[in-house]
Amino acid sequence: MALAAVLVLGTGARAQEPTASAIDEAGWQGVLGVRAAVSTAQRYVVVLEPPSLAERVRGAGGQASEREMRSWTAAAVAQQEQFIARVSAGGARVAPEYRYVRVLNGFSARLDPTSLALLEGDREVEGVFPVRIAYPAQAAGAEGVLPSSVADLEIPGLDGTGVTVALLDTGIDQSHPFLRRSVLSGIDTINPGSGGVAQPHPTIPGRPERHGTELAGIVTGSDGPDGLHGIAPGASILPVRVAGWQPNAEGGYTVYSRTDQILAGLEAAVDPNDDGDTHDAARVALIGVVEPYASFSDGPLARAVGGAAELDMLTIVPAGNDGRAGPGYGNIAGPGGAAAAVTVGAADGRLAMPTVRVLVRAGLRVLFEDTVPLGGAPSETVTGDVVLVNRVTAAKGIQGLFSTDGVSSVAGRAVLLPRGVLSDDRVEETTAAGALAVLVDGPLPAGAFSLDVPAGVPVVGLADGLVREIRALISAGVPVTVAIGGVEIAEREGGGSVAAFSSRGLSFDGGVKPDLVAPGVSVPTSEPGRGDEGEVRFGTVSGTSAAAAVTAGVAAILAQGRPGVDAVGLHGLLVGSAQRSDLDPTASGAGLVDLRRAAQLEVFADPAVVSFGTATTGSSEIERVLRIRNISTRRLAVSIGTAPIAPKGVEITTDPERVRLRPGASAEIVVRAETFDLSDEAGVATGELVLRAGDSPEVHVPWAVAVPEPVDLVSRVTLEPTAARVSEATPAVLGLVVGAVTVTPGPQVRAVELLEVQLWRRDSLLGVLARRRELLPGRYTFGLTGRGANGERLRAGTYMIRVVAWPGDGTRRQAETIPYRVR
């Protein structure tokens, strides 16, 4: 058995979170879900070279019979069995946890360093990728209108009937009356057999999984109070539970998913009955969880989303909730970097917001008196003493708020919660224990918590300095009281804008992301469980997952109205019909989703956006091919024009500039970006292609050319011995910083697509000691054991370690070299 030449000692695989630059954005921080630390040590996804079912179908021209699909699926399964048997006989320890053959060919498993090295070098392995954690891209809110009226997202006679939307998220409360008509029996990839039902917290009563129930209500809810309904109340929801209560690194439980679990969910969504034939695939898949900052365009998730499209399932994903980024590589979450995904940002269309007057006193001394946004439910005037709740108490749930004899420590008081533990559950538990108000450490936007918070219990945020003073006074024994007045409505600046929390920027390959935006602030929907008196629960949610759910409902209606249009066509119609108005293109993609316009289009473009990738000053020309398809029943003459937005010296031309298309026909257009006069200022050049076909609405195709800021992708390389002689027990520790987080022109994440640790002697490459993929900025360490790439013991002498990093945007690789002495 070959011995490992490199031991993976540790990674810093998470990007440094950029500092928020706007008050509204800062207010959302800590509200949009709790991201507890979770270990994914030694978990990997192994992608194999042999074709998946999706690749076989593509090779057959996009069509295959049931018999062919089952045969190809069975062949892929058999090939995997043979592969695992072969590498196991060669010394690798491989016990797959999840296996994939439909949307991609591969499996997930825990791999020790020796097994990892063997698989990375195997002829049948295309790549080994790290498993990362994905979190719900949502927070609760307090105010809103019917989702169907947010942007006029209705078409008479169409409600999504006959269309199935697979919801890859937490389990769903299938007993909720708002969902009872639409939810099918589901699939659970975490605990098979549950049917995709929302699961309770393993140790804290009253904390069900919420997110899946909330998104399902936005998509297909019906018969709600005051006429409330989802975007596509006639569609069906196929619950695919890929996220839920799972162990975290602190010994507790957190709602999250993993890359390998999402992949398993996509496998299930394209073949719900698991018979190898995907003709029963869901028409639309909505993924409600995201990998923060991980907008890789060629990893397992991106490939699987592309594979799902080949099997005619459109995948819609949130852009992420990591706030305002610079006009280049930003903070789009995974799998939002996938070209085949409809990546959705959140628009905030509210023109007004509720506010309350807050007075804070210590005896006769006034500490604060001003108007602040109301973050929770409408309230009457309340007055009470402030009581502190620390993180330890909050983590215990509602039990932590009661003494052993059952007396509430917060009843009749205003509770001050630490910001790091904010969630709907904790706010509701505090109010259930009798608190008359909830105060939050730091600013809080209007509508940050659910309407499901009991009426009359206000939730407001206080400035950090004020909170510190309150804590100091109470700790010194000085009582502090707060008075909160009734609700007043104030005009909101920036109505009709992209939400401050919505992730922005290009994907790591320079692709245009997000594709579009949809309403994503204070969207009303269903909440799991029942109230204290058995009443059905409703609330509001904010986040890019809410916006993605709105878009999934739109896609379901569009699929019903255009049954002959495939997944690629639905993608093109959604993006091509979006309305930009004055929205920032790096934050909104093509603009705001527009259902009626999408239903009227007669042509679409494939791809829906044109990404030219990166360019450097002095370069000449970049070409892309655009396919235009006529989906109408008449002949069309289509002209192709250009509309620059922020061209930065880029000139766009098309060849030809006009085509004629028969019904169902398509034509290829060459799109050229002349970049010789491109500005050398870091950022992105943007614009649109405009397709005009008679009296049909225009089709807008966004384009972008990225100008990356020069950064060091490998830096601070060190090599430290742990003993006089290097061995497996006493390795030399290679440390380095990979990637970068830049601050100008705005916070941007630069990741590394591929990293190699190479062993050299003089001018000869002796082999690759380690290869890692999809690395987010952070510090990484490797243990060098004195062995070569094939496990052989190295002779004594001086070698060179060269660390080579390839970005995913096509710019040049970077390398650093350091001496390595073996005794």
Side-chain angles (χ1 to χ4, degrees), residues 426-578:
R426 290 192 172 101
V427 171
E428 290 174 16
E429 289 161 357
T430 303
T431 59
L436 57 82
V438 178
L439 311 178
V440 173
D441 183 353
L444 195 66
F449 286 97
S450 177
L451 276 174
D452 195 52
V453 174
V457 180
V459 182
V460 298
L462 302 178
D464 296 336
L466 174 61
V467 169
R468 286 194 296 270
E469 187 174 7
I470 292 173
R471 292 187 185 281
L473 288 169
I474 293 177
S475 298
V478 179
V480 177
T481 61
V482 62
I484 301 176
V487 178
E488 297 181 356
I489 303 300
E491 182 178 348
R492 177 181 174 274
E493 296 182 3
S497 62
V498 176
F501 58 75
S502 186
S503 290
R504 294 148 159 82
L506 305 178
S507 60
F508 288 148
D509 67 342
V512 177
K513 291 293 177 177
D515 291 77
L516 49 79
V517 294
V521 176
S522 296
V523 182
T525 187
S526 44
E527 292 286 348
R530 297 292 186 270
D532 293 337
E533 299 181 2
E535 69 275 14
V536 176
R537 300 176 63 190
F538 290 88
T540 60
V541 292
S542 298
T544 54
S545 62
V550 169
T551 306
V554 169
I557 293 178
L558 196 58
Q560 178 194 9
R562 310 295 285 268
V565 177
D566 61 11
V568 172
L570 291 177
H571 191 165
L573 293 175
L574 287 169
V575 176
S577 60

